[in-house]
Amino acid sequence: MRPPTLGVDVFRKAYGFDDTFAFLDSDIDSGVTDKLNYLSDFMLENGYISKAIDVDSFVDKSYYEKLKTSEQ
């Protein structure tokens, strides 16, 4: 399994100078959960944890969803 990559555009957005904090993205999308699943698999395979983490039950998007609907 290949580790997920950020890509050049995301790297520039995250590490470029921006004093408005526009680079902060609070969206929890499939890219975020894919990275967390990859991290869980990596830690399990290397003996850092004894069982896989259920990312879907670990990540709580309810606050974000409420915030998103209140902005509309």
Short mmCIF file of all heavy atoms in Angstrom, two decimals:
data_model
loop_
_atom_site.label_atom_id
_atom_site.label_comp_id
_atom_site.label_asym_id
_atom_site.label_seq_id
_atom_site.Cartn_x
_atom_site.Cartn_y
_atom_site.Cartn_z
N MET A 1 0.84 -1.18 0.00
CA MET A 1 0.00 0.00 0.00
C MET A 1 0.89 1.24 0.00
O MET A 1 1.77 1.37 0.83
CB MET A 1 -0.90 -0.03 1.24
CG MET A 1 -1.68 1.24 1.44
SD MET A 1 -2.66 1.25 2.96
CE MET A 1 -4.24 0.99 2.26
N ARG A 2 0.65 2.11 -0.96
CA ARG A 2 1.40 3.37 -1.02
C ARG A 2 0.82 4.38 -0.05
O ARG A 2 -0.39 4.47 0.09
CB ARG A 2 1.32 3.96 -2.42
CG ARG A 2 2.35 3.41 -3.37
CD ARG A 2 2.30 4.11 -4.67
NE ARG A 2 2.56 5.54 -4.46
CZ ARG A 2 2.65 6.42 -5.43
NH1 ARG A 2 2.51 6.05 -6.66
NH2 ARG A 2 2.88 7.68 -5.18
N PRO A 3 1.68 5.14 0.60
CA PRO A 3 1.16 6.18 1.49
C PRO A 3 0.47 7.27 0.68
O PRO A 3 0.88 7.58 -0.43
CB PRO A 3 2.41 6.73 2.18
CG PRO A 3 3.54 6.38 1.30
CD PRO A 3 3.14 5.13 0.57
N PRO A 4 -0.60 7.86 1.22
CA PRO A 4 -1.25 8.95 0.51
C PRO A 4 -0.32 10.15 0.44
O PRO A 4 0.46 10.39 1.36
CB PRO A 4 -2.48 9.26 1.35
CG PRO A 4 -2.31 8.55 2.62
CD PRO A 4 -1.25 7.52 2.47
N THR A 5 -0.39 10.88 -0.64
CA THR A 5 0.47 12.04 -0.81
C THR A 5 -0.36 13.32 -0.81
O THR A 5 -1.55 13.29 -1.11
CB THR A 5 1.27 11.97 -2.13
OG1 THR A 5 0.34 11.90 -3.21
CG2 THR A 5 2.17 10.75 -2.14
N LEU A 6 0.28 14.40 -0.47
CA LEU A 6 -0.41 15.68 -0.42
C LEU A 6 -0.55 16.32 -1.79
O LEU A 6 -1.54 16.95 -2.09
CB LEU A 6 0.32 16.64 0.50
CG LEU A 6 0.32 16.30 1.97
CD1 LEU A 6 1.16 17.31 2.74
CD2 LEU A 6 -1.09 16.30 2.50
N GLY A 7 0.47 16.21 -2.61
CA GLY A 7 0.45 16.89 -3.89
C GLY A 7 1.07 18.28 -3.76
O GLY A 7 1.12 18.86 -2.67
N VAL A 8 1.54 18.80 -4.87
CA VAL A 8 2.26 20.08 -4.89
C VAL A 8 1.36 21.24 -4.48
O VAL A 8 1.76 22.10 -3.71
CB VAL A 8 2.86 20.33 -6.29
CG1 VAL A 8 3.48 21.71 -6.39
CG2 VAL A 8 3.88 19.26 -6.63
N ASP A 9 0.11 21.27 -4.99
CA ASP A 9 -0.78 22.39 -4.67
C ASP A 9 -1.09 22.46 -3.18
O ASP A 9 -1.08 23.54 -2.58
CB ASP A 9 -2.08 22.27 -5.46
CG ASP A 9 -1.88 22.48 -6.94
OD1 ASP A 9 -0.89 23.16 -7.32
OD2 ASP A 9 -2.69 21.96 -7.73
N VAL A 10 -1.34 21.32 -2.56
CA VAL A 10 -1.64 21.30 -1.13
C VAL A 10 -0.39 21.69 -0.34
O VAL A 10 -0.47 22.44 0.63
CB VAL A 10 -2.14 19.91 -0.69
CG1 VAL A 10 -2.28 19.83 0.81
CG2 VAL A 10 -3.45 19.58 -1.38
N PHE A 11 0.78 21.21 -0.77
CA PHE A 11 2.03 21.57 -0.10
C PHE A 11 2.26 23.07 -0.15
O PHE A 11 2.57 23.69 0.87
CB PHE A 11 3.20 20.83 -0.76
CG PHE A 11 4.51 21.07 -0.08
CD1 PHE A 11 4.89 20.33 1.01
CD2 PHE A 11 5.37 22.06 -0.54
CE1 PHE A 11 6.10 20.55 1.65
CE2 PHE A 11 6.58 22.29 0.08
CZ PHE A 11 6.94 21.54 1.18
N ARG A 12 2.09 23.67 -1.32
CA ARG A 12 2.28 25.13 -1.44
C ARG A 12 1.27 25.88 -0.58
O ARG A 12 1.60 26.89 0.04
CB ARG A 12 2.14 25.55 -2.90
CG ARG A 12 3.32 25.19 -3.73
CD ARG A 12 3.19 25.73 -5.14
NE ARG A 12 4.34 25.32 -5.93
CZ ARG A 12 4.28 24.94 -7.18
NH1 ARG A 12 3.13 24.93 -7.82
NH2 ARG A 12 5.36 24.57 -7.83
N LYS A 13 0.03 25.40 -0.56
CA LYS A 13 -1.01 26.05 0.23
C LYS A 13 -0.68 25.97 1.72
O LYS A 13 -0.86 26.94 2.46
CB LYS A 13 -2.35 25.38 -0.06
CG LYS A 13 -3.54 26.02 0.59
CD LYS A 13 -4.81 25.30 0.16
CE LYS A 13 -6.03 25.86 0.83
NZ LYS A 13 -7.25 25.14 0.46
N ALA A 14 -0.20 24.83 2.17
CA ALA A 14 0.09 24.64 3.59
C ALA A 14 1.36 25.34 4.04
O ALA A 14 1.42 25.84 5.17
CB ALA A 14 0.20 23.15 3.90
N TYR A 15 2.38 25.40 3.19
CA TYR A 15 3.66 25.93 3.62
C TYR A 15 4.00 27.29 3.03
O TYR A 15 5.02 27.85 3.34
CB TYR A 15 4.78 24.93 3.29
CG TYR A 15 4.66 23.68 4.12
CD1 TYR A 15 4.15 22.50 3.58
CD2 TYR A 15 5.03 23.68 5.46
CE1 TYR A 15 4.03 21.36 4.35
CE2 TYR A 15 4.90 22.54 6.23
CZ TYR A 15 4.40 21.39 5.66
OH TYR A 15 4.27 20.26 6.43
N GLY A 16 3.12 27.83 2.20
CA GLY A 16 3.34 29.16 1.67
C GLY A 16 3.00 30.22 2.71
O GLY A 16 2.22 29.98 3.64
N PHE A 17 3.55 31.41 2.57
CA PHE A 17 3.29 32.47 3.53
C PHE A 17 1.90 33.04 3.29
O PHE A 17 1.55 33.44 2.19
CB PHE A 17 4.33 33.59 3.43
CG PHE A 17 4.07 34.71 4.38
CD1 PHE A 17 4.36 34.56 5.73
CD2 PHE A 17 3.51 35.88 3.95
CE1 PHE A 17 4.11 35.58 6.63
CE2 PHE A 17 3.26 36.91 4.84
CZ PHE A 17 3.56 36.77 6.18
N ASP A 18 1.09 33.06 4.32
CA ASP A 18 -0.26 33.62 4.25
C ASP A 18 -0.65 34.03 5.66
O ASP A 18 -0.95 33.19 6.50
CB ASP A 18 -1.23 32.58 3.70
CG ASP A 18 -2.64 33.13 3.56
OD1 ASP A 18 -2.89 34.30 3.92
OD2 ASP A 18 -3.51 32.38 3.10
N ASP A 19 -0.66 35.32 5.91
CA ASP A 19 -0.97 35.79 7.26
C ASP A 19 -2.47 35.91 7.52
O ASP A 19 -2.89 36.35 8.58
CB ASP A 19 -0.27 37.11 7.56
CG ASP A 19 -0.68 38.21 6.60
OD1 ASP A 19 -1.45 37.95 5.66
OD2 ASP A 19 -0.22 39.36 6.79
N THR A 20 -3.31 35.46 6.57
CA THR A 20 -4.75 35.50 6.77
C THR A 20 -5.29 34.17 7.29
O THR A 20 -6.47 34.06 7.59
CB THR A 20 -5.48 35.81 5.45
OG1 THR A 20 -5.27 34.73 4.54
CG2 THR A 20 -4.98 37.11 4.85
N PHE A 21 -4.45 33.17 7.37
CA PHE A 21 -4.82 31.82 7.79
C PHE A 21 -5.83 31.17 6.85
O PHE A 21 -6.58 30.29 7.23
CB PHE A 21 -5.34 31.79 9.24
CG PHE A 21 -4.29 32.15 10.24
CD1 PHE A 21 -4.24 33.42 10.77
CD2 PHE A 21 -3.35 31.22 10.62
CE1 PHE A 21 -3.26 33.75 11.69
CE2 PHE A 21 -2.36 31.54 11.54
CZ PHE A 21 -2.32 32.81 12.07
N ALA A 22 -5.86 31.61 5.60
CA ALA A 22 -6.76 31.03 4.61
C ALA A 22 -6.37 29.59 4.27
O ALA A 22 -7.18 28.84 3.74
CB ALA A 22 -6.76 31.88 3.33
N PHE A 23 -5.15 29.21 4.60
CA PHE A 23 -4.68 27.86 4.30
C PHE A 23 -5.28 26.82 5.23
O PHE A 23 -5.23 25.63 4.96
CB PHE A 23 -3.15 27.78 4.37
CG PHE A 23 -2.59 28.16 5.71
CD1 PHE A 23 -2.43 27.22 6.70
CD2 PHE A 23 -2.22 29.47 5.95
CE1 PHE A 23 -1.92 27.57 7.93
CE2 PHE A 23 -1.71 29.82 7.19
CZ PHE A 23 -1.57 28.87 8.18
N LEU A 24 -5.85 27.25 6.35
CA LEU A 24 -6.46 26.30 7.28
C LEU A 24 -7.77 25.80 6.69
O LEU A 24 -8.64 26.57 6.34
CB LEU A 24 -6.70 26.94 8.64
CG LEU A 24 -5.46 27.31 9.43
CD1 LEU A 24 -5.85 28.01 10.71
CD2 LEU A 24 -4.64 26.07 9.73
N ASP A 25 -7.89 24.50 6.59
CA ASP A 25 -9.09 23.89 6.04
C ASP A 25 -9.63 22.91 7.06
O ASP A 25 -8.97 21.95 7.41
CB ASP A 25 -8.74 23.18 4.74
CG ASP A 25 -9.95 22.64 4.02
OD1 ASP A 25 -11.08 22.87 4.49
OD2 ASP A 25 -9.76 21.98 2.99
N SER A 26 -10.82 23.18 7.55
CA SER A 26 -11.38 22.33 8.60
C SER A 26 -12.18 21.16 8.06
O SER A 26 -12.72 20.37 8.83
CB SER A 26 -12.26 23.18 9.51
OG SER A 26 -13.32 23.74 8.75
N ASP A 27 -12.28 21.04 6.75
CA ASP A 27 -13.08 19.97 6.16
C ASP A 27 -12.45 18.61 6.41
O ASP A 27 -11.25 18.42 6.20
CB ASP A 27 -13.24 20.19 4.66
CG ASP A 27 -14.29 19.31 4.04
OD1 ASP A 27 -15.03 18.65 4.79
OD2 ASP A 27 -14.37 19.27 2.81
N ILE A 28 -13.23 17.68 6.90
CA ILE A 28 -12.76 16.31 7.12
C ILE A 28 -13.32 15.49 5.98
O ILE A 28 -14.46 15.04 6.02
CB ILE A 28 -13.22 15.76 8.48
CG1 ILE A 28 -12.70 16.64 9.61
CG2 ILE A 28 -12.75 14.32 8.66
CD1 ILE A 28 -13.26 16.29 10.96
N ASP A 29 -12.53 15.32 4.94
CA ASP A 29 -12.98 14.59 3.77
C ASP A 29 -12.34 13.22 3.70
O ASP A 29 -11.65 12.79 4.63
CB ASP A 29 -12.73 15.40 2.50
CG ASP A 29 -11.25 15.70 2.28
OD1 ASP A 29 -10.40 15.14 3.01
OD2 ASP A 29 -10.93 16.49 1.39
N SER A 30 -12.56 12.52 2.59
CA SER A 30 -12.02 11.17 2.45
C SER A 30 -10.49 11.16 2.46
O SER A 30 -9.88 10.18 2.86
CB SER A 30 -12.56 10.50 1.19
OG SER A 30 -12.14 11.21 0.04
N GLY A 31 -9.86 12.25 2.02
CA GLY A 31 -8.40 12.32 2.06
C GLY A 31 -7.87 12.26 3.48
O GLY A 31 -6.86 11.60 3.75
N VAL A 32 -8.55 12.93 4.38
CA VAL A 32 -8.15 12.92 5.79
C VAL A 32 -8.32 11.53 6.39
O VAL A 32 -7.42 11.00 7.04
CB VAL A 32 -8.96 13.97 6.60
CG1 VAL A 32 -8.68 13.84 8.08
CG2 VAL A 32 -8.65 15.37 6.11
N THR A 33 -9.48 10.93 6.15
CA THR A 33 -9.72 9.60 6.72
C THR A 33 -8.83 8.54 6.07
O THR A 33 -8.42 7.59 6.74
CB THR A 33 -11.20 9.20 6.62
OG1 THR A 33 -11.63 9.30 5.26
CG2 THR A 33 -12.07 10.08 7.50
N ASP A 34 -8.51 8.70 4.79
CA ASP A 34 -7.58 7.78 4.13
C ASP A 34 -6.21 7.83 4.80
O ASP A 34 -5.57 6.80 5.03
CB ASP A 34 -7.42 8.10 2.65
CG ASP A 34 -8.63 7.74 1.82
OD1 ASP A 34 -9.52 7.02 2.34
OD2 ASP A 34 -8.71 8.18 0.66
N LYS A 35 -5.74 9.02 5.13
CA LYS A 35 -4.44 9.17 5.80
C LYS A 35 -4.47 8.56 7.20
O LYS A 35 -3.51 7.93 7.62
CB LYS A 35 -4.03 10.63 5.85
CG LYS A 35 -3.61 11.16 4.51
CD LYS A 35 -3.23 12.60 4.57
CE LYS A 35 -2.97 13.09 3.16
NZ LYS A 35 -2.63 14.49 3.12
N LEU A 36 -5.59 8.75 7.90
CA LEU A 36 -5.70 8.16 9.24
C LEU A 36 -5.74 6.63 9.17
O LEU A 36 -5.12 5.95 10.00
CB LEU A 36 -6.94 8.69 9.95
CG LEU A 36 -6.88 10.16 10.37
CD1 LEU A 36 -8.24 10.61 10.88
CD2 LEU A 36 -5.80 10.40 11.40
N ASN A 37 -6.43 6.08 8.18
CA ASN A 37 -6.46 4.63 7.99
C ASN A 37 -5.07 4.10 7.64
O ASN A 37 -4.65 3.06 8.14
CB ASN A 37 -7.46 4.23 6.90
CG ASN A 37 -8.87 4.21 7.40
OD1 ASN A 37 -9.15 3.68 8.47
ND2 ASN A 37 -9.78 4.78 6.64
N TYR A 38 -4.35 4.83 6.79
CA TYR A 38 -2.98 4.43 6.44
C TYR A 38 -2.09 4.44 7.69
O TYR A 38 -1.31 3.51 7.92
CB TYR A 38 -2.40 5.36 5.38
CG TYR A 38 -0.95 5.07 5.10
CD1 TYR A 38 -0.58 4.01 4.29
CD2 TYR A 38 0.05 5.85 5.67
CE1 TYR A 38 0.75 3.71 4.06
CE2 TYR A 38 1.37 5.56 5.45
CZ TYR A 38 1.72 4.49 4.65
OH TYR A 38 3.05 4.21 4.42
N LEU A 39 -2.23 5.48 8.51
CA LEU A 39 -1.44 5.57 9.73
C LEU A 39 -1.76 4.43 10.69
O LEU A 39 -0.86 3.83 11.28
CB LEU A 39 -1.69 6.91 10.41
CG LEU A 39 -0.93 7.19 11.69
CD1 LEU A 39 0.57 7.13 11.46
CD2 LEU A 39 -1.32 8.55 12.25
N SER A 40 -3.04 4.09 10.81
CA SER A 40 -3.44 2.97 11.66
C SER A 40 -2.81 1.67 11.16
O SER A 40 -2.26 0.89 11.95
CB SER A 40 -4.96 2.85 11.68
OG SER A 40 -5.36 1.67 12.33
N ASP A 41 -2.89 1.43 9.85
CA ASP A 41 -2.29 0.22 9.27
C ASP A 41 -0.78 0.18 9.50
O ASP A 41 -0.22 -0.86 9.84
CB ASP A 41 -2.58 0.13 7.77
CG ASP A 41 -4.05 -0.09 7.46
OD1 ASP A 41 -4.80 -0.50 8.37
OD2 ASP A 41 -4.45 0.17 6.30
N PHE A 42 -0.11 1.32 9.32
CA PHE A 42 1.34 1.40 9.51
C PHE A 42 1.71 1.07 10.95
O PHE A 42 2.63 0.29 11.20
CB PHE A 42 1.82 2.80 9.14
CG PHE A 42 3.28 3.03 9.45
CD1 PHE A 42 4.26 2.61 8.57
CD2 PHE A 42 3.67 3.65 10.62
CE1 PHE A 42 5.60 2.80 8.85
CE2 PHE A 42 5.00 3.84 10.92
CZ PHE A 42 5.98 3.42 10.03
N MET A 43 0.99 1.67 11.89
CA MET A 43 1.31 1.43 13.31
C MET A 43 1.03 -0.02 13.71
O MET A 43 1.81 -0.60 14.47
CB MET A 43 0.52 2.39 14.20
CG MET A 43 0.98 3.83 14.07
SD MET A 43 0.29 4.98 15.30
CE MET A 43 -1.46 4.80 15.03
N LEU A 44 -0.02 -0.61 13.16
CA LEU A 44 -0.34 -2.00 13.45
C LEU A 44 0.73 -2.93 12.89
O LEU A 44 1.23 -3.82 13.58
CB LEU A 44 -1.72 -2.35 12.88
CG LEU A 44 -2.23 -3.76 13.15
CD1 LEU A 44 -2.41 -3.98 14.65
CD2 LEU A 44 -3.53 -3.99 12.41
N GLU A 45 1.11 -2.71 11.63
CA GLU A 45 2.12 -3.56 10.98
C GLU A 45 3.48 -3.46 11.64
O GLU A 45 4.27 -4.40 11.60
CB GLU A 45 2.23 -3.18 9.50
CG GLU A 45 1.02 -3.58 8.68
CD GLU A 45 1.05 -3.00 7.28
OE1 GLU A 45 2.07 -2.41 6.88
OE2 GLU A 45 0.02 -3.13 6.58
N ASN A 46 3.78 -2.32 12.26
CA ASN A 46 5.08 -2.13 12.89
C ASN A 46 5.06 -2.33 14.40
O ASN A 46 6.04 -2.05 15.09
CB ASN A 46 5.63 -0.74 12.54
CG ASN A 46 6.04 -0.67 11.09
OD1 ASN A 46 7.08 -1.19 10.71
ND2 ASN A 46 5.19 -0.07 10.25
N GLY A 47 3.94 -2.83 14.92
CA GLY A 47 3.86 -3.18 16.33
C GLY A 47 3.69 -2.05 17.31
O GLY A 47 3.87 -2.23 18.51
N TYR A 48 3.32 -0.86 16.82
CA TYR A 48 3.12 0.27 17.73
C TYR A 48 1.76 0.19 18.43
O TYR A 48 1.59 0.78 19.50
CB TYR A 48 3.23 1.60 16.98
CG TYR A 48 4.62 1.86 16.46
CD1 TYR A 48 4.89 1.83 15.10
CD2 TYR A 48 5.67 2.11 17.33
CE1 TYR A 48 6.16 2.06 14.61
CE2 TYR A 48 6.94 2.35 16.87
CZ TYR A 48 7.18 2.32 15.50
OH TYR A 48 8.44 2.55 15.04
N ILE A 49 0.80 -0.48 17.79
CA ILE A 49 -0.52 -0.69 18.39
C ILE A 49 -0.87 -2.16 18.24
O ILE A 49 -0.34 -2.85 17.37
CB ILE A 49 -1.61 0.21 17.75
CG1 ILE A 49 -1.70 0.00 16.24
CG2 ILE A 49 -1.36 1.68 18.09
CD1 ILE A 49 -2.81 0.80 15.56
N SER A 50 -1.78 -2.64 19.08
CA SER A 50 -2.10 -4.08 19.05
C SER A 50 -3.32 -4.41 18.20
O SER A 50 -3.54 -5.56 17.85
CB SER A 50 -2.31 -4.59 20.47
OG SER A 50 -3.35 -3.88 21.10
N LYS A 51 -4.15 -3.41 17.88
CA LYS A 51 -5.27 -3.65 16.98
C LYS A 51 -5.54 -2.39 16.16
O LYS A 51 -5.19 -1.28 16.59
CB LYS A 51 -6.52 -4.09 17.73
CG LYS A 51 -7.10 -3.07 18.65
CD LYS A 51 -8.36 -3.64 19.31
CE LYS A 51 -9.07 -2.53 20.07
NZ LYS A 51 -10.36 -2.94 20.57
N ALA A 52 -6.15 -2.58 15.00
CA ALA A 52 -6.40 -1.45 14.10
C ALA A 52 -7.38 -0.46 14.73
O ALA A 52 -8.24 -0.83 15.53
CB ALA A 52 -6.95 -1.95 12.77
N ILE A 53 -7.24 0.79 14.37
CA ILE A 53 -8.12 1.84 14.85
C ILE A 53 -9.30 1.95 13.88
O ILE A 53 -9.11 2.02 12.68
CB ILE A 53 -7.38 3.19 14.93
CG1 ILE A 53 -6.23 3.09 15.92
CG2 ILE A 53 -8.32 4.32 15.29
CD1 ILE A 53 -5.27 4.25 15.86
N ASP A 54 -10.51 1.97 14.43
CA ASP A 54 -11.70 2.18 13.62
C ASP A 54 -11.85 3.68 13.40
O ASP A 54 -12.44 4.39 14.22
CB ASP A 54 -12.93 1.60 14.32
CG ASP A 54 -14.20 1.76 13.51
OD1 ASP A 54 -14.13 2.22 12.34
OD2 ASP A 54 -15.27 1.42 14.04
N VAL A 55 -11.29 4.17 12.32
CA VAL A 55 -11.23 5.61 12.06
C VAL A 55 -12.63 6.22 11.99
O VAL A 55 -12.85 7.32 12.48
CB VAL A 55 -10.43 5.90 10.77
CG1 VAL A 55 -10.53 7.36 10.36
CG2 VAL A 55 -8.97 5.50 10.96
N ASP A 56 -13.58 5.50 11.40
CA ASP A 56 -14.93 6.05 11.26
C ASP A 56 -15.59 6.31 12.62
O ASP A 56 -16.35 7.26 12.76
CB ASP A 56 -15.80 5.12 10.43
CG ASP A 56 -15.34 5.06 8.98
OD1 ASP A 56 -14.85 6.09 8.48
OD2 ASP A 56 -15.47 3.99 8.36
N SER A 57 -15.28 5.50 13.62
CA SER A 57 -15.85 5.76 14.94
C SER A 57 -14.99 6.75 15.73
O SER A 57 -15.46 7.37 16.67
CB SER A 57 -16.00 4.46 15.72
OG SER A 57 -14.74 3.92 16.03
N PHE A 58 -13.74 6.91 15.34
CA PHE A 58 -12.81 7.80 16.02
C PHE A 58 -13.03 9.26 15.60
O PHE A 58 -12.96 10.17 16.42
CB PHE A 58 -11.38 7.37 15.71
CG PHE A 58 -10.32 8.23 16.32
CD1 PHE A 58 -10.08 8.20 17.68
CD2 PHE A 58 -9.55 9.06 15.53
CE1 PHE A 58 -9.10 8.99 18.25
CE2 PHE A 58 -8.57 9.86 16.09
CZ PHE A 58 -8.35 9.82 17.44
N VAL A 59 -13.32 9.48 14.33
CA VAL A 59 -13.48 10.83 13.80
C VAL A 59 -14.94 11.26 13.98
O VAL A 59 -15.86 10.61 13.51
CB VAL A 59 -13.10 10.88 12.30
CG1 VAL A 59 -13.41 12.24 11.71
CG2 VAL A 59 -11.63 10.55 12.11
N ASP A 60 -15.13 12.36 14.68
CA ASP A 60 -16.47 12.90 14.93
C ASP A 60 -16.63 14.17 14.11
O ASP A 60 -16.02 15.20 14.41
CB ASP A 60 -16.65 13.19 16.42
CG ASP A 60 -18.00 13.79 16.74
OD1 ASP A 60 -18.89 13.81 15.86
OD2 ASP A 60 -18.18 14.23 17.89
N LYS A 61 -17.45 14.10 13.06
CA LYS A 61 -17.66 15.25 12.19
C LYS A 61 -18.90 16.05 12.57
O LYS A 61 -19.27 16.98 11.87
CB LYS A 61 -17.79 14.79 10.74
CG LYS A 61 -16.56 14.13 10.19
CD LYS A 61 -16.65 14.02 8.70
CE LYS A 61 -17.02 12.63 8.27
NZ LYS A 61 -17.03 12.46 6.82
N SER A 62 -19.56 15.74 13.66
CA SER A 62 -20.82 16.39 14.01
C SER A 62 -20.65 17.90 14.25
O SER A 62 -21.49 18.69 13.81
CB SER A 62 -21.46 15.73 15.23
OG SER A 62 -20.63 15.87 16.36
N TYR A 63 -19.58 18.29 14.94
CA TYR A 63 -19.35 19.71 15.18
C TYR A 63 -19.13 20.44 13.85
O TYR A 63 -19.71 21.49 13.62
CB TYR A 63 -18.15 19.92 16.10
CG TYR A 63 -17.83 21.37 16.33
CD1 TYR A 63 -18.60 22.15 17.20
CD2 TYR A 63 -16.78 21.98 15.66
CE1 TYR A 63 -18.32 23.48 17.40
CE2 TYR A 63 -16.49 23.32 15.86
CZ TYR A 63 -17.26 24.07 16.72
OH TYR A 63 -16.99 25.39 16.90
N TYR A 64 -18.34 19.86 13.00
CA TYR A 64 -18.06 20.47 11.70
C TYR A 64 -19.35 20.58 10.87
O TYR A 64 -19.60 21.60 10.24
CB TYR A 64 -17.00 19.66 10.95
CG TYR A 64 -16.80 20.13 9.54
CD1 TYR A 64 -16.13 21.31 9.27
CD2 TYR A 64 -17.29 19.39 8.47
CE1 TYR A 64 -15.96 21.76 7.98
CE2 TYR A 64 -17.12 19.83 7.18
CZ TYR A 64 -16.45 21.00 6.94
OH TYR A 64 -16.30 21.45 5.66
N GLU A 65 -20.16 19.53 10.87
CA GLU A 65 -21.41 19.56 10.11
C GLU A 65 -22.35 20.64 10.63
O GLU A 65 -22.98 21.34 9.85
CB GLU A 65 -22.09 18.19 10.15
CG GLU A 65 -21.32 17.10 9.43
CD GLU A 65 -21.12 17.37 7.94
OE1 GLU A 65 -22.02 17.98 7.31
OE2 GLU A 65 -20.07 16.99 7.42
N LYS A 66 -22.44 20.80 11.95
CA LYS A 66 -23.28 21.86 12.53
C LYS A 66 -22.77 23.24 12.14
O LYS A 66 -23.55 24.13 11.81
CB LYS A 66 -23.32 21.74 14.05
CG LYS A 66 -24.17 20.61 14.54
CD LYS A 66 -24.17 20.57 16.07
CE LYS A 66 -24.94 19.37 16.55
NZ LYS A 66 -24.92 19.25 18.01
N LEU A 67 -21.48 23.41 12.18
CA LEU A 67 -20.87 24.68 11.80
C LEU A 67 -21.13 24.98 10.34
O LEU A 67 -21.49 26.10 9.98
CB LEU A 67 -19.37 24.65 12.09
CG LEU A 67 -18.58 25.90 11.73
CD1 LEU A 67 -19.05 27.07 12.60
CD2 LEU A 67 -17.10 25.67 11.91
N LYS A 68 -20.97 23.98 9.50
CA LYS A 68 -21.17 24.15 8.07
C LYS A 68 -22.61 24.55 7.75
O LYS A 68 -22.85 25.43 6.94
CB LYS A 68 -20.79 22.86 7.34
CG LYS A 68 -20.55 23.02 5.87
CD LYS A 68 -19.77 21.88 5.27
CE LYS A 68 -20.60 20.62 5.15
NZ LYS A 68 -19.94 19.58 4.36
N THR A 69 -23.59 23.94 8.40
CA THR A 69 -24.99 24.26 8.14
C THR A 69 -25.38 25.62 8.72
O THR A 69 -26.23 26.29 8.18
CB THR A 69 -25.94 23.18 8.67
OG1 THR A 69 -25.72 23.00 10.06
CG2 THR A 69 -25.75 21.87 7.94
N SER A 70 -24.73 26.04 9.79
CA SER A 70 -25.06 27.34 10.39
C SER A 70 -24.51 28.50 9.55
O SER A 70 -25.01 29.62 9.65
CB SER A 70 -24.54 27.44 11.81
OG SER A 70 -23.14 27.52 11.84
N GLU A 71 -23.49 28.25 8.74
CA GLU A 71 -22.91 29.30 7.90
C GLU A 71 -23.74 29.56 6.66
O GLU A 71 -23.58 30.58 6.01
CB GLU A 71 -21.49 28.91 7.48
CG GLU A 71 -20.51 28.94 8.63
CD GLU A 71 -19.12 28.51 8.20
OE1 GLU A 71 -18.96 27.97 7.09
OE2 GLU A 71 -18.18 28.73 8.98
N GLN A 72 -24.64 28.68 6.32
CA GLN A 72 -25.43 28.83 5.08
C GLN A 72 -26.60 29.72 5.25
O GLN A 72 -27.14 30.15 6.09
CB GLN A 72 -25.89 27.46 4.58
CG GLN A 72 -24.71 26.62 4.20
CD GLN A 72 -25.14 25.20 3.83
OE1 GLN A 72 -26.28 24.80 3.97
NE2 GLN A 72 -24.20 24.42 3.35
#
